[in-house]
Amino acid sequence: MQDSTHRAAPDRTSPALVLALVKLLWSFFLIWVSFGLPAVLVLAVLLNYLISRLGHYRMRQAREPKN
């Protein structure tokens, strides 16, 4: 028994990504004010590394056959 009156949920991916960017930028600014630009650069490099590792992990998981 399916009710055909349900509408599809709205796609909120773009607003979520924009909000994440805004939060990241003000976090970087807060760290810059508190600890200086080198701390922001180290954090940015660390985040870049972690995101790259996550991408490699997900690609490896996608290539492995599922049981």
Side-chain angles (χ1 to χ4, degrees):
M1 289 188 218
Q2 292 181 349
D3 189 6
S4 62
T5 61
H6 291 293
R7 295 185 308 188
D11 184 19
R12 295 194 173 104
T13 304
S14 294
L17 290 174
V18 169
L19 184 61
L21 176 65
V22 169
K23 286 183 176 188
L24 181 67
L25 288 177
W26 75 257
S27 297
F28 278 168
F29 181 72
L30 182 66
I31 293 169
W32 186 2
V33 168
S34 300
F35 301 107
L37 187 59
V40 174
L41 294 176
V42 168
L43 182 60
V45 169
L46 178 66
L47 283 174
N48 186 33
Y49 174 75
L50 292 174
I51 291 170
S52 297
R53 293 277 301 175
L54 179 63
H56 291 302
Y57 173 77
R58 291 184 72 184
M59 285 176 49
R60 189 172 62 239
Q61 290 295 324
R63 286 187 197 146
E64 291 180 0
K66 295 186 168 91
N67 292 337

